[in-house]
Amino acid sequence: MTLERIVVAGGSIAAVSAAAALRTAGWGGSLVLLSDEHVAPYSRVPLSKGVLAGTQGPESAVLPALPGDVDVRLGNAAVGLRPAAQEVLLADGSRIAYDGLVVATGARARRLSHPQQRGELVVRDLGDAAAIAERLADASSAVVVGGGFLGMEVASTLHRHGIEVTVVDMEPPLQRLLGPWLAGYVARVAEESGIGFVVSEGGVVLEGDPISGVRLSDGRLIAADLVISAVGDIPNAEWLEDSGLTLANGLVVDERCQAAPGIVGAGDVVSREFSPGVFRRTPHWSNAVVQGRAAAATLLNPAAPAYAPDHYFWTEQHGLDIKIAGEPPLLGEPEVLDGDLDGREALLRWTKDDDTAAVVSINYRIPAARLRAMVARAPAAAPASSSR
Ligand SMILES: Cc1cc2nc3c(=O)[nH]c(=O)nc-3n(C[C@H](O)[C@H](O)[C@H](O)COP(=O)(O)OP(=O)(O)OC[C@H]3O[C@@H](n4cnc5c(N)ncnc54)[C@H](O)[C@@H]3O)c2cc1C
């Protein structure tokens, strides 16, 4: 098939990685990137960290510009797909033809409020971070619902801002994501720094309009100036619903990131079958980069090498810069390869069947490439999933 026009639907790191990879590979056809956002593609990573804290301006999050011959169209969402006609339908009523399509529409924040209720805060895009930043000066307390990576990062940033923070979850923070040992270590450090944790086994209900607190499953109310939900994300795949493509926890792709001939997917919107009937996403930055590049390679050559999931990610919270290579949750206790846990600077290894299953650095200076190289295991057949 001759590829004259490739359309990339999506406006962040997976989309940009795919578009850049197409040009790097020397493909010179018409390349259109469609984003529903009105601003140039940017990274979400600092939104829960420096941008939220106000120590980093929003402009610092902007991704490196694509080559000038990429037609970047902002503020227009893809709302439908007709694979037989090779057309993407757009929110403004127009349509765009393609020979190859990259689906990289990512995910959005899950919310807990009902549609009439105002004031639930989330952290997914620049506008969300700005909305919280605007209220920081007048706020003295916050409840963060959700003790995953995102919730814990937000809690850490708000706390450093002098705000009294309580994290509420149905279980202790980070447990499912990191495993009991590492989750326990991080939670202890967070608690020592002054973060409060509450377990509400039956979940919470957001109270008030505008929202002014959360009701726990035991009936108690925690009032706060800011109520921020960090309760996972929802893949932006609804626009594909009538396309005939397989959707299960996102757009299902194969080991080459292909959803159908001429259609590939990458990043947070994509899922893969982990075990029969179980479809998982890998919503981490490095994975979006690697998958974006692999998706581009498959479009140019459907027999391109299979994508090797990148099991590397990091989080910064409570003074801990944690980098993880391998597949959490990490079971059992780690071996301390170097450093000192009490001093909060250590290199840790988890083993499984005598192989290195994961290596974790905590405030330890080591390049990501070296961490990855230390994980001996071959890549798994499908990526594990862990929500931020
Ligand atoms: C606050 C925050 C902090 C994070 N920190 C870290 C971290 O420290 N480490 C880490 O590994 N990962 C982190 N992540 C996760 C990482 O940012 C994501 O995995 C990554 O952004 C996924 O990239 P993506 O391009 O697939 O999707 P997204 O970033 O979700 O981007 C999708 C893009 O497509 C656009 N779009 C959506 N629907 C449409 C449509 N129908 N038509 C056109 N455009 C559309 C969206 O507006 C958006 O621009 C963080 C995420 C968040 C939210």
Side-chain angles (χ1 to χ4, degrees):
M1 179 170 56
T2 316
L3 289 171
E4 285 177 10
R5 175 185 276 169
I6 293 178
V7 170
V8 180
S12 191
I13 184 63
V16 167
S17 300
L22 288 166
R23 285 298 188 241
T24 304
W27 182 76
S30 159
L31 181 52
V32 180
L33 183 138
L34 297 170
S35 173
D36 64 352
E37 295 196 81
H38 292 269
V39 291
Y42 58 89
S43 164
R44 283 160 220 288
V45 170
L47 300 186
S48 51
K49 309 174 185 81
V51 170
L52 192 62
T55 54
Q56 216 179 316
E59 65 292 341
S60 67
V62 174
L63 292 171
L66 284 165
D69 61 356
V70 180
D71 180 2
V72 177
R73 302 188 191 175
L74 301 176
N76 205 355
V79 294
L81 175 66
R82 294 197 182 139
Q86 298 189 181
E87 279 179 348
V88 176
L89 312 183
L90 300 177
D92 67 1
S94 65
R95 53 190 66 188
I96 181 166
Y98 65 83
D99 305 309
L101 174 67
V102 182
V103 175
T105 45
R108 62 184 181 278
R110 194 160 84 78
R111 290 174 178 272
L112 296 174
S113 56
H114 56 72
Q116 289 79 36
Q117 214 175 9
R118 293 160 303 153
E120 178 182 20
L121 299 164
V122 295
V123 188
R124 183 76 204 181
D125 62 28
L126 272 175
D128 298 332
I132 297 175
E134 224 169 70
R135 293 182 52 189
L136 287 185
D138 297 327
S140 60
S141 60
V143 170
V144 177
V145 184
F149 293 124
L150 181 60
M152 291 289 277
E153 287 178 5
V154 170
S156 166
T157 303
L158 296 182
H159 180 70
R160 270 193 290 137
H161 221 271
I163 291 174
E164 188 187 322
V165 183
T166 308
V167 176
V168 182
D169 200 322
M170 293 194 281
E171 57 187 35
L174 300 170
Q175 286 283 321
R176 263 175 307 123
L177 299 171
L178 292 182
W181 191 92
L182 189 54
Y185 177 80
V186 178
R188 270 194 306 282
V189 171
E191 220 156 16
E192 279 165 29
S193 79
I195 306 277
F197 290 104
V198 172
V199 172
S200 178
E201 281 175 8
V204 302
V205 174
L206 304 190
E207 286 281 324
D209 181 25
I211 292 159
S212 55
V214 300
R215 179 79 58 189
L216 308 181
S217 51
D218 65 8
R220 278 182 297 153
L221 176 74
I222 304 182
D225 299 326
L226 307 175
V227 176
I228 301 171
S229 297
V231 288
D233 56 5
I234 300 171
N236 292 318
E238 292 82 355
W239 67 282
L240 300 169
E241 261 162 16
D242 297 325
S243 66
L245 298 178
T246 306
L247 302 181
N249 187 23
L251 172 65
V252 178
V253 297
D254 66 14
E255 69 284 358
R256 290 190 168 76
C257 304
Q258 187 165 265
I263 303 177
V264 293
D268 285 12
V269 71
V270 153
S271 73
R272 290 181 60 202
E273 193 162 20
F274 176 72
S275 54
V278 178
F279 295 87
R280 289 188 175 173
R281 296 183 294 124
T282 307
H284 298 302
W285 173 269
S286 306
N287 187 67
V289 173
V290 172
Q291 229 174 13
R293 291 176 185 154
T298 296
L299 268 191
L300 299 181
N301 170 18
Y307 136 83
D310 187 27
H311 296 296
Y312 170 81
F313 64 96
W314 73 97
T315 176
E316 293 158 34
Q317 45 182 286
H318 320 291
L320 304 175
D321 179 3
I322 303 171
K323 297 188 172 68
I324 299 177
E327 275 187 273
L330 311 169
L331 303 177
E333 287 206 12
E335 175 190 356
V336 181
L337 295 179
D338 197 13
D340 164 30
L341 280 163
D342 291 335
R344 297 182 186 172
E345 188 179 331
L347 183 64
L348 310 173
R349 174 168 63 191
W350 273 259
T351 47
K352 189 177 174 196
D353 302 332
D354 293 334
D355 272 342
T356 299
V359 184
V360 173
S361 74
I362 298 176
N363 294 338
Y364 188 90
R365 282 170 190 261
I366 182 168
R370 271 195 61 205
L371 272 190
R372 285 187 178 99
M374 289 171 75
V375 180
R377 271 193 320 151
S385 167
S386 51
S387 173
R388 286 199 77 79

